[in-house]
Amino acid sequence: AQTVTQSQPEMSVQEAETVTLSCTYDTSESDYYLFWYKQPPSRQMILVIRQEAYKQQNATENRFSVNFQKAAKSFSLKISDSQLGDAAMYFCAYRSARTYKYIFGTGTRLKVLA
Amino acid sequence: EAGVAQSPRYKIIEKRQSVAFWCNPISGHATLYWYQQILGQGPKLLIQFQNNGVVDDSQLPKDRFSAERLKGVDSTLKIQPAKLEDSAVYLCASSALYRGGAFFGQGTRLTVV
């Protein structure tokens, strides 16, 4: 069975600084997708960034980028130039390419300090 | 493009009562998911539909929870009878078959008293 682990329950970052959120996963599958979702207090899950396992190049979306280390089964999210609006819960998620089932980590609460 | 719609946003019921949640996914999305999110935890999959067929319901408490997806579009999730531990946010999500991530609705916050 696949598992997703987020070992940082809470992180803080100063506005305009850079922060990295960690995620590790375990799977025996070779084809899968990895995602980072943001959940603000409004509780709607918002897709931040996606990485296909077969792609070696790390995904980037504006201020958000990932460091995907397939052999180490590590998938970290880097947020550059942090903004107050980035404050939220961040969930790492694994999706099987075979079953399309999503498995979520326990989340990291990000606080942005003005 | 319209997002995933869920209703109601909030519901308060007494234990042993029944409740139903409704979800309308993004048009054309074949896969629909219902998740339960207890405060402070990550979402836990309850059931996954592919079109109108069930793909995974291994974590659905079938003695009290039921779900259906009519004509491969809208879906309802029902709890009968509710227990105190069912208090949670119920999230509906949908995704296209091959690409992209899942898109979530705003969720229903259920409080069982």
Side-chain angles (χ1 to χ4, degrees):
Chain A
Q2 296 84 24
T3 58
V4 176
T5 302
Q6 293 179 251
S7 58
Q8 304 157 317
E10 190 171 294
M11 294 282 285
S12 295
V13 62
Q14 288 290 138
E15 200 176 2
E17 295 295 309
T18 296
V19 65
T20 298
L21 308 184
S22 301
C23 173
T24 58
Y25 61 95
D26 191 27
T27 183
S28 58
E29 298 180 328
S30 59
D31 193 11
Y32 52 87
Y33 298 81
L34 297 165
F35 304 86
W36 279 97
Y37 281 88
K38 171 185 177 181
Q39 188 177 42
S42 68
R43 73 174 183 263
Q44 182 162 18
M45 299 278 274
I46 301 166
L47 177 61
V48 174
I49 198 164
R50 177 188 80 211
Q51 176 78 42
E52 291 90 339
Y54 62 84
K55 288 188 177 179
Q56 290 186 330
Q57 187 173 7
N58 289 323
T60 299
E61 290 285 346
N62 300 313
R63 298 182 296 107
F64 299 87
S65 62
V66 299
N67 183 3
F68 174 48
Q69 301 290 326
K70 191 171 184 179
K73 295 180 181 173
S74 170
F75 183 62
S76 61
L77 174 70
K78 185 172 82 171
I79 306 174
S80 303
D81 185 26
S82 297
Q83 301 175 359
L84 294 177
D86 294 334
M89 283 291 288
Y90 285 82
F91 291 95
C92 178
Y94 170 101
R95 192 195 92 179
S96 167
R98 180 175 59 86
T99 67
Y100 306 102
K101 178 178 178 178
Y102 286 79
I103 297 168
F104 288 83
T106 52
T108 296
R109 181 174 301 281
L110 178 66
K111 295 183 176 180
V112 181
L113 308 173
Chain B
E1 177 179 75
V4 177
Q6 284 189 251
S7 67
R9 288 292 310 276
Y10 304 91
K11 190 74 177 179
I12 301 174
I13 62 172
E14 295 183 350
K15 60 184 179 183
R16 291 189 290 274
Q17 284 188 325
S18 62
V19 64
F21 312 127
W22 173 82
C23 173
N24 179 244
I26 293 173
S27 177
H29 279 190
T31 310
L32 185 147
Y33 311 83
W34 282 103
Y35 284 88
Q36 180 192 59
Q37 186 177 23
I38 293 173
L39 186 65
Q41 299 181 16
K44 183 186 85 171
L45 179 69
L46 291 175
I47 189 166
Q48 175 184 341
F49 292 94
Q50 196 94 319
N51 296 308
N52 60 351
V54 175
V55 174
D56 187 336
D57 62 358
S58 58
Q59 297 192 86
L60 186 74
K62 298 181 186 62
D63 58 332
R64 299 185 300 107
F65 286 63
S66 64
E68 61 179 1
R69 188 178 185 192
L70 300 175
K71 298 180 181 178
V73 183
D74 290 7
S75 177
T76 55
L77 176 69
K78 296 179 181 178
I79 307 175
Q80 182 180 13
K83 292 185 175 182
L84 296 177
E85 59 260 37
D86 297 333
S87 294
V89 174
Y90 291 84
L91 297 167
C92 178
S94 70
S95 72
L97 195 58
Y98 297 111
R99 291 185 54 81
F103 293 88
F104 284 78
Q106 290 189 296
T108 298
R109 181 180 297 280
L110 173 68
T111 302
V112 182
V113 298

